[in-house]
């Protein structure tokens, strides 16, 4: 397929802790097409950030290791590339916006220098042109006094401004694939609305494919075309956004959707999923959600469920739907 | 049942900005600037706003953890701003706090038992045996297994830790609990467990909450009345029902429109704000919101709006309504 941007197949990532090895991501597969926004949802510890870091080959090794699987970007297997070749793709064709705007910028360099660095590394522009491009990028992300901000240090900016700078850096080389790991989590709602608006605009303009990693279902509903729900290192459900919100199948997805307070209707009590997310090193035979699942049946205890295709492009990992 | 438990009048908290080798005061950060509200016994009062708007400082000033620069905080029949330290100490039994970060607010060297016993010891309540019973009871109430007594905080997940924090606040049987973003550090599925717990204990012990949050959906779920703060000032004040149904202040309107709805079929009309929040050390002369307000008029730049009661239990500080 021509417009396939990113394909992940059977990705398994292990981490080593003292003498134990455990898989944080267990054989997950998905794809993102050109101009599409795929949401990756889950709670902390479900492996969503590890997945996005793996795509960029930024998993610290050791303790982490990609033990199996393929990550194909436009047909090229990223895992087999040399570090030098990977550097050409990273920040240029695929770029990433990290969660923490407070800590992802170097405090000792000006905003301008950090922006220029990316541009100079990946393009043939001269320093002067790079500066022009940087200022243009800052304006694009809605920073009003771009020239002034260009010369400032990160600590002089607010969180919202820093996140916008991060986005400007991420977009400086017009990437074709953008990985945004909780891009708005640290921000206030009014600033979040501005940033989401900006990302949507960019997608429409440049047909960038976006992988949006988040735990905020509101953001997902607003931004994504398709959604993947992860639980304890596995994909438990995948569907287009409308189906996921209006016809969720997996008990975990349903529980998540019911447990968020909602502005439109007032419930006396919120639904809550009992128990807690298992830590990655616990060995659970059968379904990993079983202990917290209100609908668990005997089979869930013994057999590990596979991803079942319920309808076209709607899959779910649950025994309830097996014939 | 309309006795007010807490009344805050014209509360101001200004932090001095010091500069130079002599540390001379160069100006003030007006973290809280003339805020008034009251909380009725048994209700949940929400304080919402974005980071830096002064909601946490207000919460701390209410508990006298920060000395107010001016204004009064009436708790029952006493003004907390003027009572003596021993009296304040006595009062603290009745007012407790739950903090935002359950990872930072528990002493890592204490077992759960020690954490829960400390407030009892500090206020010399009961003997050792009675304290043990109170701790065990409180752990049941907060959904903590009694076998956790000898464990340390690091052995627990965020949700469990927040339960410990709630148990610690509750063990003195307070009347008022100030909860500063108690669920914002938690995952969605854990968040609903803690919100349910907060509601349960409110019913059981007749608690009054001052609930500080930036999450408007959570506040709507939990609160009877709320105040919307912007840059240290109260922008809108009223019952949750009225504010959510008909927000008056342009800031509240944009805040509500900015929350993404967890439903892809519902496309919201957004009121996008432009510009940045001004610094609280140098706020605009007139309305604090004037730099970002889509409906600003000439008067907003010069005259600071006062809170006007448009109807019963719904007030707004905005020139559009004068």
């Amino acid at each position: 397929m021509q417009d396939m941007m990113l394909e992940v197949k059977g990705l398994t990532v292990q981490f080593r802790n003292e003498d134990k090895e455990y898989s944080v991501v267990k054989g997950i597969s998905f794809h993102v097409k050109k101009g599409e926004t795929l949401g990756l949802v889950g709670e902390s510890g479900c492996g969503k950030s590890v997945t996005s870091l793996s795509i960029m080959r930024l998993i610290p090794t050791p303790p982490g290791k990609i033990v199996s699987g393929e990550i194909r970007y436009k047909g090229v297997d990223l895992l087999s590339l040399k570090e030098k070749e990977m550097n050409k793709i990273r920040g240029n064709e695929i770029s990433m916006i990290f969660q923490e705007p407070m800590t992802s910028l170097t405090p000792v360099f000006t905003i301008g220098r950090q922006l220029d660095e990316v541009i100079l590394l990946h393009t043939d522009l001269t320093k002067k042109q790079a500066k022009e491009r940087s200022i243009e990028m800052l304006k694009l992300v809605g920073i009003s006094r771009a020239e002034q901000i260009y010369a400032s240090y990160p600590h002089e900016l607010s969180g919202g401004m820093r996140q916008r700078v991060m986005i400007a850096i991420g977009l400086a080389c017009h990437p074709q694939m953008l990985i945004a790991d909780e891009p708005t989590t640290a921000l206030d709602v009014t600033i979040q609305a501005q940033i989401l608006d900006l990302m949507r605009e960019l997608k429409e303009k440049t047909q960038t494919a976006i992988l949006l990693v988040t735990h905020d279902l509101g953001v997902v509903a607003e931004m994504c075309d398709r959604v993947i729900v992860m639980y304890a290192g596995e994909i438990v459900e995948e569907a287009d956004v409308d189906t996921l919100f209006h016809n969720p199948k997996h008990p975990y997805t349903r529980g998540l959707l019911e447990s968020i307070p909602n502005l439109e209707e007032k419930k006396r009590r919120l639904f809550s999923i009992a128990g807690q997310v298992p830590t990655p090193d616990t060995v659970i035979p059968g379904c990993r959600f079983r202990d917290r699942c209100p609908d668990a049946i005997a089979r869930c205890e013994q057999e590990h469920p596979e991803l079942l295709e319920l309808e076209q492009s709607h899959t779910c990992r649950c025994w309830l739907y097996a014939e | 049942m309309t006795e007010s438990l807490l009344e805050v009048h014209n509360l101001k908290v200004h932090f001095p900005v010091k500069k130079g080798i002599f540390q001379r005061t160069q100006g003030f950060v007006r973290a809280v600037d003339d805020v008034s509200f009251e909380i009725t016994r048994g209700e949940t009062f929400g304080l919402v706003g974005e980071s830096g708007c002064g909601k946490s400082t207000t919460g701390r000033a209410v508990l006298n953890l920060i000395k107010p620069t001016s204004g009064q905080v009436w708790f029952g029949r006493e003004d907390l701003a003027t009572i003596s330290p021993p009296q304040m100490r006595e009062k603290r039994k009745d007012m407790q706090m739950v903090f935002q970060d359950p990872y930072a607010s528990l002493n890592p060297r204490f077992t759960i038992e020690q954490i829960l016993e400390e407030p009892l010891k500090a206020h010399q309540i009961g003997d050792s045996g009675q304290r043990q019973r109170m701790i065990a009871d409180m752990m049941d109430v907060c959904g903590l297994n009694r076998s956790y007594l000898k464990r340390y905080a690091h052995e627990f997940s965020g949700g469990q830790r927040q339960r410990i924090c709630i148990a610690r606040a509750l063990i003195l049987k307070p009347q008022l609990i100030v909860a500063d973003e108690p669920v914002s550090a938690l995952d969605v599925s854990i968040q609903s467990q803690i919100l349910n717990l907060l509601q349960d204990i409110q019913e059981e012990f007749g608690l009054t909450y001052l609930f500080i949050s930036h999450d408007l959906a959570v506040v709507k779920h939990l609160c009877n009345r709320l105040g919307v703060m912007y840059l240290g000032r109260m922008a809108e004040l009223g019952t949750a029902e009225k504010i959510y149904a008909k927000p008056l202040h342009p800031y509240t309107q944009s805040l509500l429109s900015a929350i993404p709805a967890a439903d892809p079929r519902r496309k919201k009309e957004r009121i996008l704000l432009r510009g940045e929040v001004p610094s609280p050390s140098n706020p605009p002369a007139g309305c604090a919101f004037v730099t970002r307000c889509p409906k600003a008029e000439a008067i907003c730049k010069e005259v600071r709006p006062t809170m006007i009661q448009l109807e019963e239990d719904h007030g707004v500080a905005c020139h559009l309504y004068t």
Side-chain angles (χ1 to χ4, degrees), chain A residues 25-313:
Chain A
V25 172
K26 300 179 191 70
I28 66 167
S29 307
F30 61 88
H31 64 269
V32 192
K33 287 182 197 156
K34 192 170 182 170
E36 185 184 44
T37 304
L38 176 71
L40 191 57
V41 195
E43 296 178 281
S44 30
C46 73
K48 54 189 196 303
S49 289
V50 170
T51 306
S52 56
L53 287 173
S54 305
I55 298 168
M56 295 296 272
R57 290 214 354 222
L58 289 173
I59 295 285
T61 315
K65 200 168 79 185
I66 297 174
V67 285
S68 65
E70 273 175 39
I71 299 171
R72 288 188 178 277
Y73 169 72
K74 288 188 182 168
V76 181
D77 187 3
L78 294 183
L79 296 179
S80 64
L81 290 185
K82 293 204 185 76
E83 194 55 37
K84 219 174 165 186
E85 293 168 317
M86 188 65 208
N87 275 341
K88 278 191 193 149
I89 290 182
R90 209 185 273 144
N92 188 20
E93 296 205 19
I94 312 180
S95 76
M96 184 153 176
I97 302 170
F98 296 92
Q99 178 170 6
E100 294 271 323
M102 303 298 162
T103 51
S104 325
L105 291 166
T106 314
V108 293
F109 293 144
T110 59
I111 298 298
R113 183 160 168 188
Q114 298 187 49
L115 255 164
D116 290 350
E117 187 188 359
V118 189
I119 298 168
L120 291 172
L121 193 69
H122 292 297
T123 62
D124 301 326
L125 297 183
T126 62
K127 275 194 176 168
K128 202 170 155 230
Q129 288 168 317
K131 180 175 176 179
E132 275 165 22
R133 173 96 158 256
S134 299
I135 289 173
E136 186 193 312
M137 287 314 296
L138 290 174
K139 284 186 180 150
L140 186 72
V141 295
I143 290 175
S144 45
R145 300 164 292 133
E147 280 87 359
Q148 205 180 328
I149 299 298
Y150 180 87
S152 340
Y153 286 89
H155 74 265
E156 298 173 76
L157 311 182
S158 67
M161 293 278 262
R162 270 186 257 188
Q163 191 61 299
R164 273 186 252 187
V165 170
M166 287 293 298
I167 294 175
I169 293 176
L171 300 173
C173 296
H174 308 305
Q176 298 179 38
M177 169 91 220
L178 182 68
I179 300 172
D181 188 355
E182 307 263 10
T184 57
T185 305
L187 304 177
D188 288 319
V189 273
T190 55
I191 308 287
Q192 167 173 295
Q194 291 178 12
I195 301 273
L196 294 182
D197 220 51
L198 175 73
M199 281 173 61
R200 208 168 334 168
E201 219 171 90
L202 286 164
K203 184 177 100 172
E204 272 155 29
K205 248 188 240 164
T206 58
Q207 285 291 299
T208 310
I210 302 176
L211 175 64
L212 182 66
V213 180
T214 181
H215 69 274
D216 187 332
L217 291 160
V219 172
V220 170
E222 195 133 307
M223 295 290 293
C224 300
D225 304 308
R226 268 188 314 125
V227 192
I228 285 174
V229 183
M230 279 184 79
Y231 184 79
E234 293 174 328
I235 293 177
V236 293
E237 187 158 3
E238 176 179 351
D240 64 82
V241 71
D242 194 71
T243 313
L244 192 95
F245 281 88
H246 290 282
N247 190 18
K249 290 293 182 198
H250 199 282
Y252 176 64
T253 317
R254 291 199 308 240
L256 270 190
L257 286 169
E258 276 173 53
S259 55
I260 36 175
N262 171 321
L263 275 181
E264 275 70 29
E265 47 181 321
K266 185 148 180 153
K267 293 180 215 155
R268 180 69 196 93
R269 266 182 89 81
L270 291 171
F271 176 83
S272 68
I273 305 175
Q276 299 153 53
V277 183
T279 53
D281 55 342
T282 42
V283 183
I284 305 173
C287 173
R288 295 184 66 84
F289 186 60
R290 180 193 72 215
D291 288 342
R292 303 178 71 191
C293 183
D295 308 319
I297 49 176
R299 193 173 185 186
C300 308
E301 234 168 275
Q302 292 121 25
E303 282 177 87
H304 185 80
E306 292 300 316
L307 267 179
L308 298 168
E309 183 149 11
L310 303 178
E311 309 158 45
Q312 200 178 7
S313 70

Side-chain angles (χ1 to χ4, degrees), chain B residues 30-92:
Chain B
R30 294 155 209 264
V32 180
D33 202 15
D34 208 357
V35 163
S36 307
F37 60 92
E38 56 184 84
I39 306 180
T40 315
R41 193 178 288 276
E43 79 170 350
T44 304
F45 182 84
L47 212 46
V48 294
E50 297 180 286
S51 41
C53 74
K55 54 191 193 305
S56 291
T57 309
T58 306
R60 279 161 200 249
V62 162
L63 293 188
N64 218 338
L65 295 175
I66 297 173
K67 209 113 199 103
T69 309
S70 70
Q72 295 138 18
V73 179
W74 291 90
F75 183 75
R77 280 185 197 79
E78 274 152 307
D79 180 6
L80 299 183
T82 55
I83 65 174
S84 66
Q87 281 174 308
M88 188 60 222
R89 213 178 132 82
E90 198 52 38
K91 272 276 162 243
R92 287 210 189 281

Side-chain angles (χ1 to χ4, degrees), chain B residues 1-17:
Chain B
M1 268 298 281
T2 46
E3 181 200 350
S4 60
L5 179 70
L6 184 83
E7 279 180 44
V8 175
H9 294 298
N10 306 93
L11 181 74
K12 288 186 186 178
V13 183
H14 295 180
F15 297 109
V17 180

